[in-house]
């Protein structure tokens, strides 16, 4: 067992050695601020330089408190480490120094090349403690890292997590900070890394009081899909989020973070400073990985301290080929899809400065990056949950084509990500859910339905009424995977496939990934490509992929190599690749 010293940042309460607590808040637009100790007293706080207020008060761990702004508005601590209930409830002083004894204090993480990610929603598993029960099965399957959708305190007790307003406080409906640490500790004991999805581009619509007492936290000259942009030019704002990053990595010992929608953070210098601070703060020898979601495809960030980026381009072209869908953003990938498939497999990003359907240039060249700079997936929370009815790919695609794409996903040199339940072909939908109330609930429900008004199948209002209400409890419950179905007919076959492919990946691909690079990718026929990668030990990996309905011709001068996997039996001549089939070969270095 091991106690660790807590990370002390600029924001939030600090337990002092004498048992008192230093409370502080950045409130430059407040005339005065007081500390309300629930059930005890109200104490005026001292105004310091640059809009800070502070007080050392004789209260320790377990204290419930609020801040009183200008003698009229009670607010939670924006850097609360835990809430006694929801986002409007009192904040709770947490003893992050000694409240948890780590059983695996020497865990240093795993190299990025070993990563197989598995995205999970904590609420659908029943909370931190209930999620622990599934970890051993994931490790046995071949998963090496779980990724939690955002857990920062959000309004209500059902939410995807992107409506968070108190980014330092784990969601109370999921469990305590100690239970979160126990989950991470248990994962480490099983050899699993733990990643967390964090949201630094906006706050949710309910429970964010910053605009009242720190209005310059935001900038009104810059708009995002969620309202005024966050002003990352200000030191206090930068520290608020960088300290949050360091808290998750140092206090909770997460192995990595996924940064949501950084294209909505236009200040690149904030991102590079964050990465620099992280790498300077973690102990020597520890593996910590920083992963981006970035629609702008800014490849240059992947040589500036960030490990990898979610490759939406790869997903989108694969989805278009597997389903023939072409509405919405799939229109950018459906046209000339085979050429785009070859570019993604041969260079990482598809859009590297080319114009999209709106005539907007997007992306930076990416072919010089290693394939491991890209996190690839066939499904995730966005791509499944942003569908009107949350259908999973197993319900949308031909089974043989999906098996071929799965082989490519798990055996390519890119880092694979699975979405919970994918590995056994779960058919429960993953729907968009919240637990808002009143006018906000109405606005979210109508806004959700109006999102699909431009789609032909939802052109009339009556059809849109069928889209599940995000605030209904049934929407949340219907999204819960049936974890007992894994060994049932129709599901066990998928599970066996994922298990076999991950075994091959760890045996043949992972040991050769460091130093891998793109070689070539060419079109064979409609929806069919041949791609090759140079691996770090000098061997070469070859993918023959045909997602189409017709056999594809193969080059007559075929390359020798050991067949690692074929997604189905070959039914054509040796110089052809059968429809909806994938084969992967390894040509080992001599």
């Amino acid at each position: 067992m091991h106690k660790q010293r807590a990370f002390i940042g600029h924001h939030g309460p600090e337990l002092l050695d004498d048992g008192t607590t230093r409370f502080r808040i950045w409130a430059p637009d407040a005339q005065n601020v007081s500390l309300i100790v629930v059930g005890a007293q109200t104490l005026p706080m001292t105004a310091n330089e640059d809009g800070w207020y502070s007080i050392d008060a004789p209260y320790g761990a377990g204290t419930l408190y609020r801040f009183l702004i200008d003698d009229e508005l009670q607010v939670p601590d924006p850097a609360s480490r835990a809430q006694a209930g929801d986002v409007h409830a009192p904040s709770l002083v947490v003893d992050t120094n000694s409240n948890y004894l780590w059983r695996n204090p020497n865990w240093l993480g795993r190299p990025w090349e070993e990563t197989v990610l598995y995205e999970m929603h904590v609420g659908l598993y029943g909370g931190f403690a209930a999620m622990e029960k599934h970890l051993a099965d994931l490790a046995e399957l071949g998963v090496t890292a779980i990724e939690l959708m955002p857990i920062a305190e959000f309004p209500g007790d059902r939410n995807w997590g992107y409506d968070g307003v108190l980014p330092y406080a784990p969601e109370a409906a999921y469990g305590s900070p100690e239970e979160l640490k126990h989950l991470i500790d248990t994962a480490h004991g099983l050899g699993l890394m733990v990643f967390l999805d964090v949201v630094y581009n906006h706050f949710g619509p309910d429970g964010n009081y910053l605009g009242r007492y720190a209005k310059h936290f935001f900038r009104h000259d810059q708009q995002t899909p969620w309202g005024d942009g966050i002003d990352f030019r200000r030191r206090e704002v930068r520290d608020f989020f960088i300290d949050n990053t360091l808290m998750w990595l140092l206090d909770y010992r997460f192995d990595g973070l996924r940064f949501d929608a950084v294209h909505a953070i236009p200040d690149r210098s904030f991102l590079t400073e964050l990465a620099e601070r992280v790498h300077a703060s973690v102990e020597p020898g520890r593996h910590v990985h920083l992963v981006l979601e970035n629609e702008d495809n800014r490849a240059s960030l992947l040589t500036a301290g960030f490990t990898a980026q979610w490759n939406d381009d790869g997903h989108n072209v694969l989805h278009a080929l597997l389903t023939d869908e072409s509405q919405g953003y799939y229109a950018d990938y459906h046209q000339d899809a085979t050429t785009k498939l070859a570019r993604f497999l041969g260079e990482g990003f598809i859009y590297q400065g080319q114009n999209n359907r709106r005539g907007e240039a997007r992306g930076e060249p990416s072919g010089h990056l290693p394939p491991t700079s890209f996190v690839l997936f066939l499904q995730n929370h966005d791509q499944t949950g942003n569908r009107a009815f949350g259908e999973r790919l197993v319900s949308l695609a031909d089974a043989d084509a999906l098996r071929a794409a799965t082989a490519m996903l798990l055996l390519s040199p890119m880092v694979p990500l699975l979405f919970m339940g994918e590995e056994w072909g779960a058919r429960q939908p993953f729907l968009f859910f919240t637990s808002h109330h009143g006018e906000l609930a109405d606005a979210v429900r109508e806004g959700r339905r109006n999102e699909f008004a431009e789609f032909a199948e939802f052109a009339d209002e009556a059809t849109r009424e069928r889209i599940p209400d995000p605030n209904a409890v049934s929407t949340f419950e219907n999204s819960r995977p049936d974890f007992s179905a894994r060994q049932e007919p129709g599901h066990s076959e998928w599970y066996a496939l994922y298990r076999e492919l991950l075994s091959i990946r760890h045996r043949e691909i992972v040991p050769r990934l460091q130093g891998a690079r793109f070689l070539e990718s060419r079109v064979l026929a409609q929806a069919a490509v041949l791609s090759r990668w140079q691996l770090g030990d000098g061997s070469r990996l070859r993918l023959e992929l045909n997602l189409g309905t017709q056999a594809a011709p193969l080059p007559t001068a075929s390359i020798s190599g050991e067949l690692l996997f074929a997604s189905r039996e070959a039914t054509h001549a040796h110089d052809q690749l059968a429809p909806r089939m994938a084969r992967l070969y390894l040509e080992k270095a001599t």
Side-chain angles (χ1 to χ4, degrees), residues 169-183:
E171 169 59 38
Y174 294 167
S176 67
E178 293 82 0
E179 287 175 312
L180 173 57
K181 289 182 177 181
H182 196 275
L183 168 69

Side-chain angles (χ1 to χ4, degrees), residues 205-252:
D206 180 21
N208 174 27
Y209 297 95
L210 282 164
R212 166 62 178 80
Y213 56 82
K215 62 184 179 182
H216 294 298
F217 204 99
F218 305 94
R219 52 186 302 182
H220 310 301
D221 63 332
Q222 189 178 87
Q223 294 297 301
T224 75
W226 309 281
D228 289 345
I230 295 172
D231 194 350
F232 289 98
R233 298 171 299 182
R234 295 185 176 273
R235 180 75 265 158
E236 295 85 358
V237 175
R238 286 187 175 222
D239 286 340
F240 183 84
F241 292 106
I242 292 174
D243 286 355
N244 182 251
T245 292
L246 293 174
M247 180 200 75
W248 292 125
L249 295 173
L250 301 180
D251 283 358
Y252 286 89

